[in-house]
Amino acid sequence: MPDRFEILHKDLAGRIGRLSTPHGTIETPELMPVVNPHLQLIPAGELAEMGANMIITNSYIIHQDPALRNEALEKGLHDLLGFQGPIMTDSGAFQLSVYGDIEVQPLQILDFQFRINSDIAVPLDIPTPPDVSRERAESELLVTEGRLEEATDQNRPNLLAGPIQGSTYPDLRERAARHLKDLNFDVFPIGGVVPLMESYRFETLVDVVVSAKKGLGSGAPVHLFGAGHPMLFALAAAMGCDLFDSAAYALYARQGRYLTVHGTRKLEEMNYLPCSCPVCLKHSPQELMKSPDKTKLLARHNLHVSLQEIRLVRQSIRDGTLWNLLECRCRSHPRMLDGLIRLKCESRWLEGLDTSSKSTLFYLSPESAARPEVMRYSRRVDRISLQGNVLITDETNTDSTDFDHVLYFKPPFGAYPAELSETYPFNAEVPLEPDDDAQVAAVEATRHLMEANPGVHFAIRLKKSRWTELVNAECNMR
Ligand SMILES: [Zn+2]
């Protein structure tokens, strides 16, 4: 099968990609609103007007309703829903996870998805929840893998998704992904993670996603199944997730909940609406509360804010500023910060994927000290070869005539060759007063540089005596 996914731009593990389907090519990262075939809270045709380029629906629900089933088989899925862009279909695995049993055979529901012209069909896998016993995770994974292999044997015109399971066992996720990567799949959903997101366990989510990505390699398009909250998109995209689906816009609306990129608010507790979508411009919170169309209107706002965030994520990848957005979003909630801190532990993996040149680096919070650019310099600092007398300074107009080399000192990088000061990443914008993480990173890198050049005499002239003391202390220890 020709390559359906093309990567155009990269930032961290995230990317702008193009995914080709029978009903058109979409740019990723992309959010697919979930459409309930029984009740379209926002009609599918209007979803396109709101900026949705692709949607997802549940083939099992259509299959189990004789009227819908016949109509879908006659007219096809796109005319049934009134949406002419790409449509992905789920298989009933979610119903299986909730009810424990469903009334359809795996190949039967897969064939049905092909027959109604789904653009991306999903085989009926077993979504193993988090924290189950290893035995259960392994045995369910074995069943899923058998069904997936069976699915790839089928003749098909459309794209096929190969879901990655393995519960909260990173090694199982990685193994499952490695196994699927060589089979004939086009898209790789990471499944069974909704309970992690519902309970705000973002550090475990990072473990699961990064493990799956390591197994898959960087070229495969990944769908984070069930990720619909806009506050999560930057984090998920930074890990290399390309597709998201939102049932959240409708589910939260039914509960009177108002989505923002910083978290969820109860509409009844709001005095102002901090958004300029058509719904929020035309209504006060009180008017929305009283409106007979409250749920529909709230769903529209929720979807607006979600699609807007996806576009911002794309622009950030394009600009090379996804880390900045990631830091802002992850500082909205302590559990999101847990996710970012866990992602920092994977900095070596991120560094391997991240492109090396971008727009000016902004140091925004202690998390910036773990940016791939900082880690990369720290790892390579011992390649800098120096002789004779070397000045380390943070003053650009200092007298350096007696020195063989001049190094500028700037946290979080530490000492670096002065001639690189106008180039990326050393032209970074940093706070006047560096935080502890930036200082520790800077002193550490400077110590490595000194250790790599043992015969050299270093003179340290730093405006802040504190830094001089720190660097001298490290220097004397070597
Ligand atoms: Zn709004």
Side-chain angles (χ1 to χ4, degrees):
M1 188 160 291
D3 242 0
R4 306 271 203 176
F5 186 61
E6 182 191 0
I7 294 172
L8 306 176
H9 304 279
K10 293 183 193 175
D11 189 9
L12 305 175
R15 55 276 185 99
I16 304 277
R18 284 166 64 86
L19 181 67
S20 303
T21 80
H23 285 80
T25 298
I26 57 142
E27 199 168 89
T28 62
E30 184 58 287
L31 174 68
M32 302 176 280
V34 174
V35 172
N36 179 344
H38 277 139
L39 174 69
Q40 295 192 12
L41 207 49
I42 304 173
E46 289 178 35
L47 290 174
E49 288 165 21
M50 290 178 66
N53 300 307
M54 183 175 181
I55 61 173
I56 181 167
T57 191
N58 190 315
S59 68
Y60 178 69
I61 293 176
I62 298 172
H63 185 271
Q64 294 309 102
D65 180 320
L68 278 178
R69 181 173 61 215
N70 289 335
E71 202 182 337
L73 286 169
E74 261 171 45
K75 300 200 308 199
L77 184 59
H78 295 76
D79 283 346
L80 173 80
L81 297 180
F83 187 86
Q84 298 309 319
I87 305 179
M88 183 171 179
T89 44
D90 193 6
S91 58
F94 178 73
Q95 280 71 16
L96 184 67
S97 72
V98 174
Y99 305 115
D101 193 19
I102 60 170
E103 302 163 356
V104 69
Q105 294 303 310
L107 282 183
Q108 189 186 357
I109 193 68
L110 184 66
D111 178 59
F112 179 67
Q113 294 175 72
F114 293 151
R115 284 167 66 199
I116 61 177
N117 290 334
S118 164
D119 289 277
I120 305 178
V122 184
L124 184 64
D125 62 332
I126 301 181
T128 309
D131 310 319
V132 300
S133 72
R134 190 174 174 96
E135 289 70 27
R136 179 177 162 193
E138 281 187 324
S139 70
E140 290 185 355
L141 185 57
L142 213 58
V143 176
T144 288
E145 286 178 347
R147 290 183 185 174
L148 292 179
E149 283 173 28
E150 198 175 47
T152 58
D153 292 339
Q154 308 302 307
N155 275 330
R156 58 186 170 87
N158 303 339
L159 281 71
L160 186 65
I164 297 163
Q165 296 293 346
S167 183
T168 30
Y169 297 95
D171 62 314
L172 289 187
R173 291 277 184 178
E174 187 170 343
R175 198 180 79 195
R178 190 161 284 130
H179 173 73
L180 293 183
K181 142 179 110 163
D182 298 324
L183 300 178
N184 196 11
F185 291 103
D186 306 290
V187 172
F188 298 86
I190 297 175
V193 291
V194 168
L196 293 178
M197 295 186 276
E198 283 176 347
S199 52
Y200 276 45
R201 288 174 57 190
F202 299 121
E203 82 293 354
T204 311
L205 181 71
V206 168
D207 285 341
V208 165
V209 173
V210 171
S211 311
K213 287 288 299 186
K214 284 179 179 171
L216 271 180
S218 58
V222 169
H223 170 200
L224 189 58
F225 232 127
H229 199 301
M231 76 176 173
L232 200 59
F233 296 161
L235 177 64
M239 294 189 284
C241 296
D242 307 289
L243 291 172
F244 307 97
D245 60 282
S246 175
Y249 78 96
L251 292 174
Y252 282 72
R254 289 201 178 91
Q255 300 161 356
R257 286 171 189 266
Y258 181 97
L259 292 183
T260 81
V261 293
H262 307 293
T264 313
R265 301 288 311 257
K266 284 182 185 163
L267 182 63
E268 63 192 23
E269 293 173 357
M270 295 179 79
N271 305 97
Y272 307 95
L273 299 178
C275 166
S276 298
C277 82
V279 173
C280 296
L281 280 182
K282 284 184 197 141
H283 301 83
S284 68
Q286 296 73 27
E287 286 165 347
L288 265 187
M289 284 297 295
K290 285 183 209 148
S291 168
D293 292 326
K294 175 182 138 189
T295 303
K296 285 182 186 171
L297 291 167
L298 204 46
R300 279 174 186 272
H301 158 77
N302 287 345
L303 191 58
H304 267 295
V305 74
S306 304
L307 290 167
Q308 178 176 306
E309 179 71 357
I310 280 288
R311 293 192 294 271
L312 181 60
V313 166
R314 264 188 237 144
Q315 186 64 49
S316 300
I317 294 173
R318 193 66 203 271
D319 293 342
T321 57
L322 185 58
W323 187 281
N324 301 359
L325 183 66
L326 183 61
E327 282 188 55
C328 293
R329 294 299 180 253
C330 289
R331 289 198 163 267
S332 300
H333 195 286
R335 298 287 81 76
M336 288 288 295
L337 193 53
D338 289 340
L340 179 56
I341 289 169
R342 186 60 64 93
L343 185 60
K344 275 167 52 179
C345 302
E346 299 289 348
S347 55
R348 191 71 186 265
W349 172 72
L350 274 185
E351 192 207 314
L353 295 168
D354 195 44
T355 48
S356 56
S357 185
K358 300 182 193 178
S359 58
T360 310
L361 186 156
F362 284 11
Y363 191 100
L364 297 173
S365 76
E367 273 61 59
S368 293
R371 289 181 66 128
E373 300 90 337
V374 179
M375 307 305 291
R376 187 178 293 125
Y377 179 65
S378 154
R379 205 161 51 74
R380 295 179 183 175
V381 70
D382 55 6
R383 297 184 191 177
I384 297 174
S385 175
L386 304 165
Q387 293 90 34
N389 289 322
V390 175
L391 173 65
I392 297 179
T393 181
D394 55 358
E395 291 183 76
T396 49
N397 53 358
T398 190
D399 176 19
S400 59
T401 42
D402 295 339
F403 294 95
D404 300 294
H405 302 273
V406 177
L407 304 178
Y408 286 161
F409 184 87
K410 183 193 255 188
F413 300 105
Y416 64 90
E419 53 273 22
L420 297 179
S421 64
E422 296 304 318
T423 61
Y424 183 87
F426 305 107
N427 60 349
E429 292 282 351
V430 301
L432 294 175
E433 197 59 48
D435 59 40
D436 288 350
D437 291 50
Q439 291 185 55
V440 167
V443 170
E444 178 86 0
T446 306
R447 183 170 62 82
H448 285 153
L449 177 72
M450 290 173 161
E451 282 170 355
N453 293 278
V456 170
H457 175 260
F458 289 95
I460 299 171
R461 281 188 211 154
L462 300 174
K463 272 181 286 187
K464 295 201 168 75
S465 58
R466 189 158 44 108
W467 299 359
T468 307
E469 282 166 22
L470 275 171
V471 179
N472 270 328
E474 291 284 339
C475 179
N476 292 333
M477 277 168 62
R478 70 197 167 104

